[in-house]
Amino acid sequence: MHVQEWLEQVPAVSIYALVGVVIGLESLGIPLPGEIVLVSAALLSSQHGDIDPVILGACATAGAIIGDSIGYAIGRKGGRPLLAWLERKFPKHFSAANVASCERSFQKWGMWAVFFGRFVALLRIFAGPLAGVLRMPYWKFLIANVLGGIVWAGGTTAVIYYIGVVAEDWLKRFSYLGLAIAVLIGAGSMLFVKRRAKKAAAEAEAATPVAAEPQPVGVGD
């Protein structure tokens, strides 16, 4: 069953809790489809008046901030042995190459890697635990975590909600043929972008020299 179809059968309070918990666990470091759940719930709220987008956005934001904070605490306590354990449990997400890539982002951007990491699937999972492992000062992490959580979770909810409202009004004015054409164009565009992104990622990986085992990096005082 599609995520949105399943959400339609769940009470509003359960949807708020589900979105907050899934995003919180994803931010904590567990690979879950937090963004998919949030987008589906926000789109659903645009079609059903009993789901308040403000409450939905607040729950998503709270889950993101709390989850990242717990991930930070776990990463700070577990250190690099934690990353090794995560690699064994989730080799696809926490491989040595992925860890090294995210670590380079932290080296370059510091606290901004936490903020902008909200908008990148891989960094969204890594940000909290990795910031703790690298012992980023908590006040820096907290500022970036709170701002990133508000902008990403709240902003995504608002944007998808209004897109859903506008799309519903737009679809009422066009035939099913127009809808089919729009869907085909959208699907084609998405496949093109995915293919380009995959090609760019492959080229970047091929151009990256094999590095030695990562050493502890100070993120800043």
Side-chain angles (χ1 to χ4, degrees), residues 6-7 10-30 32-42 51-70 118 124 145 149 152-154 157:
W6 181 78
L7 287 175
V10 180
V13 174
S14 299
I15 290 178
Y16 301 145
L18 174 68
V19 169
V21 169
V22 171
I23 290 177
L25 291 175
E26 181 190 39
S27 301
L28 190 151
I30 300 176
L32 289 174
E35 191 168 46
I36 293 176
V37 171
L38 177 59
V39 168
S40 297
I51 301 175
D52 190 329
V54 175
I55 298 177
L56 180 66
C59 291
T61 300
I65 295 172
I66 294 171
D68 241 18
S69 297
I70 295 175
R118 279 289 171 199
R124 190 161 54 248
N145 179 28
W152 174 73
T157 302

Side-chain angles (χ1 to χ4, degrees), residues 165-205:
V165 171
V166 172
E168 183 180 25
D169 182 62
W170 181 83
L171 290 176
K172 290 177 181 177
R173 305 180 184 182
F174 292 86
S175 65
Y176 284 106
L177 176 61
L179 173 60
I181 294 174
V183 169
L184 289 175
I185 292 175
S189 300
M190 182 177 65
L191 289 174
F192 175 77
V193 171
K194 274 189 164 185
R195 186 172 297 177
R196 293 290 298 176
K198 186 176 180 180
K199 182 179 178 181
E203 291 175 350
E205 184 176 352

Side-chain angles (χ1 to χ4, degrees), residues 68-215:
D68 241 18
S69 297
I70 295 175
Y72 174 91
I74 293 174
R76 193 173 181 91
K77 183 175 182 179
R80 291 192 177 275
L82 173 66
L83 295 179
W85 180 83
L86 288 171
E87 182 179 3
R88 292 194 299 271
K89 293 294 182 180
F90 307 103
K92 180 179 178 181
H93 297 86
F94 288 89
S95 65
N98 285 345
V99 171
S101 175
C102 291
E103 193 167 347
R104 285 193 295 271
S105 297
F106 271 76
Q107 287 176 321
K108 184 175 182 179
W109 303 106
M111 65 184 288
W112 292 109
V114 177
F115 177 86
F116 290 111
R118 279 289 171 199
F119 302 88
V120 181
L122 184 62
L123 273 178
R124 190 161 54 248
I125 298 172
F126 272 99
L130 191 56
V133 169
L134 298 178
R135 296 192 174 273
M136 174 183 289
Y138 183 68
W139 68 269
K140 287 187 175 182
F141 170 80
L142 183 62
I143 292 173
N145 179 28
V146 171
L147 292 178
I150 292 173
V151 174
W152 174 73
T156 297
T157 302
V159 170
I160 297 301
Y161 173 80
Y162 285 111
I163 286 177
V165 171
V166 172
E168 183 180 25
D169 182 62
W170 181 83
L171 290 176
K172 290 177 181 177
R173 305 180 184 182
F174 292 86
S175 65
Y176 284 106
L177 176 61
L179 173 60
I181 294 174
V183 169
L184 289 175
I185 292 175
S189 300
M190 182 177 65
L191 289 174
F192 175 77
V193 171
K194 274 189 164 185
R195 186 172 297 177
R196 293 290 298 176
K198 186 176 180 180
K199 182 179 178 181
E203 291 175 350
E205 184 176 352
T208 302
V210 178
E213 183 179 349
Q215 299 298 318

